[in-house]
């Protein structure tokens, strides 16, 4: 992957709606280490925004600043229309936060955790019980409600964690790596919960270690590297920044492979290509053709093969994915985890 890719920091204008979260020039340092070096954000209401970056890039720091848990060293930010520096109480009243580590108390039951959160939000006893019951039902925790939370699985604890976050009916939710450590089934359940929240008009600020998660959920994605936003846009916009898409043709007949390789002079042959009698031969008998993956381009290649009387045994299309984007924008170090399949 070329290391010279220099993307436009912000792509497109995003949805035309009011900003639930906005920040300009946000900075934070710890001693001599600059964690956030003047980042700008604008997150439309009712959308999912994903912040990606290597470990230690400052994702959690950004969440902690925007949720008023720590102060920024510089810059300005508004959350739900409230300035994080001058109106932190207004921010806190409008948001919910689910951190990397569960806030669930394992010594009490799931229902008691919910009622405790209702008390913290100063709900009446009747309102608290109604809200707790509704959320336990919504997150499929009714059967486990009377059991100690310490007996819950990881996925159940995460669902309870988010249910507790929703007790105050926040319109903006910060989810800091909400699916880390979950099995694939639990992760997909969490994705569905997030989609339902957004369908209800909630804004979700998501940090994640899973590229597939950002690709599936986020309306917009920002990549944080060296304290700065390296690029921001939709998943498709980010993928278009990085070359690497290709069509791969595989042959079982060496003569068909030889004919195709000689005719397609623009083909990039694999490094394993050998030369036998002056003709390029790949041990895997496969060719890789640069491609943007469009239907028109795929059709033209198929038409060319038919016209040339060449038959490939297998044709596969590889489009640039967020893995490629992440490597290009962060120098290929400390890549986020793949989703477990």
């Amino acid at each position: 992957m070329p290391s010279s890719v220099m993307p436009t920091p912000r792509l497109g204008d995003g949805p035309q709606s009011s900003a639930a979260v906005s920040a300009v020039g946000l900075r934070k340092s710890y001693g001599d280490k600059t964690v956030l070096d003047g980042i700008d954000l604008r997150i439309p209401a009712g959308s999912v925004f994903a912040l990606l970056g290597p470990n230690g890039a400052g994702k959690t720091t950004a969440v902690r600043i925007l949720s008023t848990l720590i102060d920024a060293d510089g810059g300005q930010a508004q959350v739900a229309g409230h300035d994080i520096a001058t109106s932190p109480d207004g921010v806190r009243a409008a948001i919910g936060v689910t951190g990397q580590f569960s806030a669930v108390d394992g010594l009490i039951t799931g229902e008691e955790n919910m009622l405790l959160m209702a008390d913290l939000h100063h709900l009446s006893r009747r309102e608290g019980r109604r809200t707790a019951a509704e959320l336990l039902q919504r997150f499929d925790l009714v059967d486990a409600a009377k059991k100690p939370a310490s007996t819950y699985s990881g996925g159940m604890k995460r669902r309870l964690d988010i249910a507790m976050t929703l007790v105050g009916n926040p319109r903006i939710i910060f989810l800091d790596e909400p699916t880390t450590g979950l099995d694939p089934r639990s992760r997909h359940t969490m994705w569905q919960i997030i989609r339902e929240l957004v369908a209800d008009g909630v804004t979700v600020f998501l940090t994640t270690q899973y590229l597939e998660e950002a690709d599936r959920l986020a309306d917009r994605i920002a990549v944080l590297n060296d304290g700065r936003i390296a690029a921001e846009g939709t998943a498709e916009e980010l993928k278009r920044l990085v070359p690497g898409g290709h069509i791969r043709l595989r042959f079982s007949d060496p003569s068909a492979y030889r004919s195709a390789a000689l005719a397609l002079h623009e083909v990039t042959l694999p490094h394993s290509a050998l030369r036998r009698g002056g003709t390029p031969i790949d041990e895997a008998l496969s060719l890789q053709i640069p491609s943007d993956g469009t239907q028109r381009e795929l059709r033209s290649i198929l038409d060319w093969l038919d016209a040339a009387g060449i038959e490939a045994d297998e044709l596969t299309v590889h489009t640039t994915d967020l893995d490629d984007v992440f490597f290009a924008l962060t120098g290929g170090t400390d890549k986020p985890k793949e989703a477990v399949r």
Side-chain angles (χ1 to χ4, degrees):
M1 188 63 59
S3 60
S4 59
V5 175
M6 295 296 290
T8 302
R10 188 178 179 91
L11 303 174
D13 296 326
Q16 295 300 311
S17 59
S18 60
V21 178
S22 62
V24 178
L26 213 57
R27 294 186 291 106
K28 183 67 178 180
S29 298
Y30 293 101
D32 295 334
K33 180 176 176 55
T34 299
V35 180
L36 299 178
D37 191 15
I39 68 170
D40 299 339
L41 298 171
R42 185 185 183 280
I43 304 173
S47 67
V48 179
F49 176 85
L51 188 61
L52 298 178
N55 288 327
K59 301 185 297 296
T60 297
T61 297
V63 168
R64 289 172 64 83
I65 290 173
L66 293 171
S67 58
T68 74
L69 294 175
I70 60 175
D71 294 330
D73 294 337
Q76 297 178 328
Q78 288 192 334
V79 176
H82 302 280
D83 189 282
I84 62 171
T86 61
S87 183
D89 289 342
V91 173
R92 293 167 192 156
I95 68 171
V97 181
T98 298
Q100 291 184 30
F101 304 102
S102 175
V104 171
D105 187 339
L107 298 178
I108 59 178
T109 68
E111 183 181 52
E112 288 168 340
N113 270 281
M114 295 294 295
L115 294 175
L116 177 61
M117 189 60 64
D119 287 342
L120 293 174
H121 281 280
H122 306 293
L123 300 184
S124 68
R125 186 177 184 85
R126 181 179 179 181
E127 181 67 11
R129 288 194 174 279
R130 184 190 65 79
T131 300
E134 289 179 354
L135 288 170
L136 288 169
Q137 178 72 41
R138 178 177 182 180
F139 286 86
D140 195 23
L141 292 169
V142 173
D143 291 342
K146 302 293 186 181
K147 298 177 182 179
S150 59
T151 65
Y152 289 12
S153 67
M156 291 170 66
K157 286 181 180 177
R158 223 46 176 136
R159 296 205 309 272
L160 179 58
D161 216 358
I162 294 184
M164 292 165 60
T165 299
L166 295 180
V167 167
N169 194 31
R171 305 315 296 163
I172 300 170
I173 298 179
F174 294 91
L175 299 178
D176 194 9
E177 300 187 14
T179 63
T180 297
L182 297 186
D183 61 78
R185 185 181 298 276
S186 296
R187 184 172 298 120
H188 280 262
T189 299
M190 291 299 300
W191 292 353
Q192 184 58 37
I193 288 171
I194 292 170
R195 292 186 183 105
E196 290 172 358
L197 290 172
V198 175
D200 288 341
V202 174
T203 304
V204 175
F205 185 114
L206 172 75
T207 74
T208 181
Q209 285 284 323
Y210 298 100
L211 298 170
E212 182 188 8
E213 187 162 274
D215 202 353
R216 291 199 182 193
L217 292 177
D219 297 294
R220 294 184 71 78
I221 299 169
V223 180
L224 187 62
N225 189 51
D226 291 333
R228 293 181 176 274
I229 300 295
E232 180 187 346
T234 66
E236 293 308 312
E237 286 172 340
L238 292 178
K239 291 172 187 177
R240 286 197 293 269
L241 290 173
V242 181
H246 63 267
I247 293 173
R248 189 175 185 84
L249 302 175
R250 189 182 64 79
F251 301 86
S252 58
D253 181 358
S255 63
Y257 166 81
R258 187 178 293 109
S259 297
L262 291 175
L264 291 171
H265 53 81
E266 74 274 19
V267 163
T268 301
L269 291 175
H271 292 300
S272 59
L274 306 174
R275 287 190 175 275
R276 299 174 186 168
T279 303
I281 296 294
D282 174 26
E283 291 174 330
L285 297 181
S286 62
L287 298 172
Q288 185 171 301
I289 306 169
S291 168
D292 59 10
T294 62
Q295 182 178 339
R296 176 179 296 180
E297 191 165 69
L298 179 59
R299 185 183 295 114
S300 70
I301 291 175
L302 292 173
D303 289 344
W304 173 83
L305 288 171
D306 287 341
I310 298 172
E311 184 173 345
D313 293 271
E314 183 178 299
L315 183 151
T316 56
V317 179
H318 172 81
T319 56
T320 301
D321 56 24
L322 286 185
D323 296 51
D324 302 316
V325 174
F326 186 88
F327 275 120
L329 298 181
T330 66
T333 59
D334 197 16
K335 172 175 168 278
K337 306 167 189 173
E338 296 298 326
V340 178
R341 289 174 170 82

